[in-house]
Structure formats: C-alpha cells, structure tokens
Amino acid sequence: MNKAYKFRIYPNSEQCTMLAKTFGCVRFIYNQMLSDKIKYYKETKQKLKNTPAQYKKEFKWLKEVDSLALANAQMNLQKAYNNFFRSPKTGFPKFKSKKSNRKSYTTNCINGNIFIENGYIKLPKIGLVKLKQHRITPSDYKLKSVTISQNPSGKYYASVLFEYENQVQERKRHRFLGLDFSMHELYKDSNGNEPVYPRYYRQAEKKLKREQRKLSKMQKGSKNHDKQRIRVANMHEKVANQRKDFLHKLSRKMADTYDCVCVENLDMKAMSQALNFGKSVSDNGWGMFITYLKYKLEDMGKQLVKVDKFFASSQICSYCGYKNTTTKNLSVRAWDCPECGTHHDRDVNAAINIRNEGMRLITV
C-alpha cells in the first residue's frame, strides 16, 4: 500500500530560484508537447508519441532541471490525452497558465537520490532543503516519489509518497454508526448527536470580502497588488487549515470509537449546483470528512459503508418500516409515523435507517 505525508519545506534563495525554474520547465514541456500533439493530430489524424528528450536539443536549458520531473509531466499529459479519447466527457487537456499561483512537480526516488535525514530532505538538482518533519516515518516504509508544490501564499510543501506492506487485520464489526449529511451541522448520527461545526468560511466571509475588494481595485503587476494577493491567499489558507484540522480530529475520534460507519453515497458537487448551496456545502467539507474517515477506518481494519443515494432514508420509519412520502418535502424537519405513532427527528431517523441499511449490506 501507499501512504503520503505532507511536510512544509524552507528552501533558501538559490533553491527557490531553482524550484521556480523547475516549475517553469515542467509547465513549458507540458504545453509544448500538448501543442505538438494537437498539431500532429490535425495533420495526420494520428496520435503523436513525443518525449521530453526530443526537446532538449532545441531547448538546452531543459537539461538544467530534474529530468524525472519532466518525465512525470509527460506521463500526466499522456494519461489525460488518452482519457479524452476513451471518454470525451472527461474533457480535453488544457494548457497550463504561467499566471497560475499554484505550482507543482513530481520526481521519483531512484538509487537513493531522495532521502529525509536530520530535518532535511534531499531533492535532485536542488540539494538539501530544510524540512519541518512533524512525524517520523517507520523504518520499513520505502520512499517512492516526492511532489513539490507552492501554494498561492508562496509557501513550499513536499508531499512524500511511501510504499509499505499492508499488515492490517480486519476487525469484527460490533459498533455501528449511521451518519446523515446536514447542511449546517455537517451531520447528525444515529445516536442523535451532532458536531458543533464552527463554519469557518462564514466567520471569515466579511473580512475576506473587504480584502478581496481592495485587491480588485489595485493595478495588476504592482507590488501592492502582489502584497494584497498574498494577504488574501493567506486568509483563504487559514480557513482551509481550520477546516482540515477540525475534520481530522473529528474523524479520528469517530474511527477510534466505532468499527463501522455508514453514510450516504452523495454527489456533493451536483448537490451544491442543484440546490444553490455552494458556499454551505463547500464550507462544511463533507466530502473531505468522508475521505479522512475512510482511510482512518481502513488503517485500523475497520470499514466505511456507502449506502445508495436513492435509498429513501428520510421517508422510512426506523421503528416499524412504514414509508411516509410526505417527508420528501425538505421543510418537514420532524414527523409522526401514521402507522405506529413514533415521533421522528428527520435527520436522526435518516441516520438510523442508513446505519441499518449499512449493516444489512455487510451481511448480504
């Protein structure tokens, strides 16, 4: 199995220059190869198989950067190019913009050219870069690749991919929990509990609007515009980090407590577009929470079960099984079962039904 650890790195001025050059070369080779593929296909109706080595004679400065970074750019382009011909719905590869404030490249570990030691990470063509190592990697982990990225605020990160043998033993399922997605509270569980979600974006929205308004009035390319852009980027980054921290802690607590968690298999992107709840859906980070919860459960030999999104969890009485179609109306937050008279909180009842359906799917 593979596992990635993301570390903050602190390159010096020379290393920053070399990283910028690598980012530029990776972007250039991607765009150049894509342009040649398009031109060749228009002329011959055939796919062009080109490699970075073909361009190094004409563009000699490509030899100054890590060749594996260029090779990975070629592989990414080829994969996107082939995916388009297999399924046009995936979209045609796009050219990478020089103006983008988010940059990255990936390089592979070959013959020990990359290693982590004494608070530093060794990178090809870059050298030893200071690293903030917040966790120690086990000795049996084998380093495979590193993705170096620079976010809009200018900070550098190294995402290190390790390979290890999966020795996790599957546990017996004793403690089950059902979760029903909630726009405001993130979720309600089958025990009637809900997290006190702070809604970080909503808290920072007023200040963000003010700072973004200042940015829009500044001249592009000026030093003040660049300073303000970084200020806005830092604010967005803080909101994202707060959200991730909350969701990581919440998913860890849940993974430690329960053996199996059952959720609905929702399409959050479609939901945000259809219901015009884009900000609320993005702010609570339900999809991110499920991703964190899934890998934490699997690492402990536990399981996340996804129930079909068309399962009528909100309409079924969790006590007697009666289906009440009047609850299709989202404004109905509580109801009494016409069959058995049980009073239900809409979300808690749905969470119980999701839990029961998840238990049924495991035993089938």
Side-chain angles (χ1 to χ4, degrees), residues 188-206:
K188 281 194 176 181
D189 66 25
S190 51
N191 297 327
N193 302 318
E194 61 186 52
V196 183
Y197 189 70
R199 296 201 282 179
Y200 298 105
Y201 179 78
R202 293 294 187 181
Q203 290 180 7
E205 190 173 16
K206 187 176 180 180

Side-chain angles (χ1 to χ4, degrees), residues 137-189:
T137 55
S139 57
D140 59 332
Y141 278 27
K142 182 181 178 182
L143 200 156
K144 291 188 66 179
S145 66
V146 177
T147 298
I148 307 298
S149 60
Q150 183 185 22
N151 62 15
S153 64
K155 299 182 182 71
Y156 291 91
Y157 292 90
S159 182
V160 188
L161 183 67
F162 293 94
E163 184 180 44
Y164 67 100
E165 292 185 9
N166 184 19
Q167 299 178 344
V168 178
Q169 294 183 351
E170 188 172 336
R171 297 191 183 185
K172 291 184 178 180
R173 315 290 183 236
H174 297 295
R175 293 168 294 179
F176 290 81
L177 184 71
L179 303 180
D180 181 57
F181 169 72
S182 177
M183 194 70 67
H184 300 289
E185 301 88 4
L186 184 62
Y187 67 77
K188 281 194 176 181
D189 66 25

Side-chain angles (χ1 to χ4, degrees), residues 7-25:
F7 303 109
R8 175 86 183 272
I9 60 175
Y10 302 87
N12 57 37
S13 57
E14 292 181 2
Q15 291 170 338
C16 286
T17 303
M18 194 62 195
L19 285 171
K21 185 180 290 185
T22 307
F23 291 141
C25 289

Side-chain angles (χ1 to χ4, degrees), residues 30-243:
Y30 185 97
N31 291 342
Q32 188 66 37
M33 292 176 68
L34 178 57
S35 177
D36 290 345
K37 284 179 182 292
I38 294 172
K39 183 178 178 181
Y40 185 81
Y41 186 82
K42 286 180 178 178
E43 293 175 354
T44 65
K45 300 300 179 183
Q46 299 291 327
K47 293 182 183 179
L48 174 65
K49 294 183 179 180
N50 47 357
T51 64
Q54 299 173 218
Y55 298 89
K56 289 185 178 180
K57 291 182 181 180
E58 182 180 357
F59 307 102
K60 294 183 179 180
W61 36 268
L62 289 174
K63 297 179 182 179
E64 299 176 12
V65 301
D66 184 8
S67 60
L68 292 174
L70 303 180
N72 278 297
Q74 176 209 353
M75 292 173 62
N76 292 337
L77 172 60
Q78 193 63 44
K79 183 178 180 181
Y81 193 70
N82 291 337
N83 285 343
F84 170 76
F85 285 95
R86 293 193 190 101
S87 177
K89 291 182 180 180
T90 58
F92 192 77
K94 296 180 181 179
F95 289 99
K96 296 185 179 294
S97 174
K98 186 178 182 180
K99 297 179 181 179
S100 174
N101 295 314
R102 195 178 297 275
K103 309 175 182 71
S104 68
Y105 76 87
T106 301
T107 184
N108 301 84
C109 181
I110 298 177
N111 298 326
N113 63 334
I114 303 174
F115 58 84
I116 297 175
E117 191 175 66
N118 299 327
Y120 288 86
I121 181 170
K122 169 67 169 58
L123 298 173
K125 298 284 187 177
I126 306 295
L128 291 171
V129 183
K130 189 176 179 182
L131 174 84
K132 186 175 182 180
Q133 190 172 358
H134 56 276
R135 63 178 69 185
I136 303 299
T137 55
S139 57
D140 59 332
Y141 278 27
K142 182 181 178 182
L143 200 156
K144 291 188 66 179
S145 66
V146 177
T147 298
I148 307 298
S149 60
Q150 183 185 22
N151 62 15
S153 64
K155 299 182 182 71
Y156 291 91
Y157 292 90
S159 182
V160 188
L161 183 67
F162 293 94
E163 184 180 44
Y164 67 100
E165 292 185 9
N166 184 19
Q167 299 178 344
V168 178
Q169 294 183 351
E170 188 172 336
R171 297 191 183 185
K172 291 184 178 180
R173 315 290 183 236
H174 297 295
R175 293 168 294 179
F176 290 81
L177 184 71
L179 303 180
D180 181 57
F181 169 72
S182 177
M183 194 70 67
H184 300 289
E185 301 88 4
L186 184 62
Y187 67 77
K188 281 194 176 181
D189 66 25
S190 51
N191 297 327
N193 302 318
E194 61 186 52
V196 183
Y197 189 70
R199 296 201 282 179
Y200 298 105
Y201 179 78
R202 293 294 187 181
Q203 290 180 7
E205 190 173 16
K206 187 176 180 180
K207 189 176 180 181
L208 271 169
K209 283 182 178 179
R210 184 174 66 248
E211 296 301 326
Q212 287 176 163
R213 193 179 301 115
K214 290 180 183 178
L215 178 64
S216 67
K217 294 179 180 179
M218 293 180 178
Q219 184 179 354
K220 290 186 177 180
S222 66
K223 289 186 177 180
N224 283 336
H225 182 275
D226 196 45
K227 288 179 182 178
Q228 185 65 18
R229 181 191 62 78
I230 293 175
R231 188 176 293 115
V232 171
N234 278 323
M235 291 180 65
H236 279 288
E237 186 179 331
K238 181 180 179 180
V239 171
N241 288 339
Q242 287 176 318
R243 185 186 298 116

Side-chain angles (χ1 to χ4, degrees), residues 286-299:
W286 172 258
M288 191 184 298
F289 172 69
I290 295 302
T291 301
Y292 295 164
L293 181 61
K294 185 175 187 295
Y295 81 75
K296 286 180 173 66
L297 287 167
E298 290 176 349
D299 283 349

